[in-house]
Amino acid sequence: MVSKPFTVDLNKPIVFQVGHLGEAYEKWVHQPIVTKDGPRFFANDFCELLTRTKWWVIPLVWLPVVCWLVCISTQRGLTPTEAALAVVGGIFFWTLLEYCLHRFLFHIKTTSYWGNTFHYLLHGCHHKHPLDGLRLVFPPAATAILCAPVWTMFKLLSSPSTAPALFGGGLLGYVTYDCTHYYLHHGKPSKGYGQILKRYDLNHHFKVQNKGFGITSSIWDHVFGTFPATQVSHISQKNGYT
């Protein structure tokens, strides 16, 4: 007797279901459901609350930290010009980290129960429900965890006076990324660079999910050969993506 393939019930808490998809998870998660209401993740109300974050929480929490870090660098001897250059260096580092995280971690292929479950929480939910505005930006607690190894690296590779400003620049790059990403999904850029970025992100979601990993810039896609050969133009209207 052949067993039926597992089917996810969107009317029930979803997180602990997706692991049962096994090898079918990769195909399932890249078939987007374009509605502004995402599914419930957990049966527990507190756990559910932790998965939802308003976009404005990101600058509200992290921009004061950026300013504090830059101040530390100036107090330790950096001139304003040197601190500004360190911040720019941190932003540039973020663009590479943004690309690497998106390509190698957020798009890691999984088939196991816990692998699928972790991936769905990390990034799969965004591809399955790209218009879920409360699960687009990273919750601050998750960001803090990811910050720890980056801060350690900066401390090891730069001077005590430079490390805080470098890290602050990276954090500023992250804030820019998360706010830009939210705008690309929920704003309506009609021209210029914003429209270019939106089409680029649409292409990644709806046409070529294994290319186009940059969000704020496509520079590293060009460098590493993941710039998509063809891009969409009117997919937003076709899929109700505004």
Side-chain angles (χ1 to χ4, degrees):
M1 181 177 178
V2 179
S3 60
K4 293 182 179 179
F6 182 81
T7 302
V8 172
D9 186 348
L10 296 175
N11 294 314
K12 297 179 180 179
I14 196 171
V15 165
F16 294 121
Q17 294 187 65
V18 298
H20 294 295
L21 288 167
E23 294 182 355
Y25 170 77
E26 178 75 11
K27 180 179 180 180
W28 174 85
V29 82
H30 288 116
Q31 295 173 331
I33 299 174
V34 188
T35 60
K36 292 189 177 182
D37 296 322
R40 187 177 179 91
F41 274 26
F42 296 101
N44 181 275
D45 289 338
F46 180 71
C47 291
E48 180 70 9
L49 179 65
L50 293 178
T51 69
R52 299 172 179 266
T53 307
K54 296 278 190 179
W55 74 268
W56 47 261
V57 169
I58 305 308
L60 184 67
V61 169
W62 295 115
L63 288 183
V65 177
V66 171
C67 295
W68 175 65
L69 289 165
V70 175
C71 286
I72 290 176
S73 282
T74 58
Q75 290 170 359
R76 291 180 178 179
L78 288 194
T79 66
T81 300
E82 290 170 336
L85 289 174
V87 169
V88 171
I91 293 172
F92 181 75
F93 169 80
W94 165 258
T95 63
L96 178 59
L97 183 60
E98 171 192 310
Y99 173 87
C100 291
L101 286 173
H102 194 184
R103 180 179 178 181
F104 298 111
L105 180 60
F106 295 175
H107 279 267
I108 189 173
K109 289 181 170 51
T110 64
T111 58
S112 69
Y113 177 85
W114 289 112
N116 291 349
T117 302
F118 173 74
H119 180 267
Y120 183 80
L121 281 169
L122 183 68
H123 191 64
C125 59
H126 176 57
H127 271 265
K128 190 63 180 180
H129 297 271
L131 288 185
D132 185 347
L134 293 176
R135 296 194 179 97
L136 200 156
V137 299
F138 253 65
T143 302
I145 293 171
L146 291 174
C147 278
V150 178
W151 168 241
T152 301
M153 181 189 70
F154 279 139
K155 284 202 302 180
L156 291 174
L157 298 180
S158 60
S159 68
S161 60
T162 304
L166 269 174
F167 184 68
L171 202 53
L172 181 59
Y174 157 70
V175 172
T176 303
Y177 151 80
D178 240 355
C179 292
T180 299
H181 196 192
Y182 185 90
Y183 177 65
L184 296 181
H185 281 259
H186 296 278
K188 297 180 180 180
S190 58
K191 58 183 178 181
Y193 192 57
Q195 186 183 52
I196 292 172
L197 288 179
K198 178 151 187 159
R199 287 181 176 176
Y200 198 70
D201 192 52
L202 288 170
N203 193 73
H204 175 70
H205 276 277
F206 294 103
K207 192 172 183 180
V208 189
Q209 290 92 358
N210 63 348
K211 292 185 182 294
F213 297 106
I215 301 297
T216 56
S217 169
S218 62
I219 181 173
W220 297 111
D221 284 305
H222 285 286
V223 171
F224 294 115
T226 53
F227 187 83
T230 59
Q231 294 191 47
V232 298
S233 57
H234 302 295
I235 199 166
S236 59
Q237 296 177 359
K238 178 180 177 181
N239 290 276
Y241 194 112
T242 58

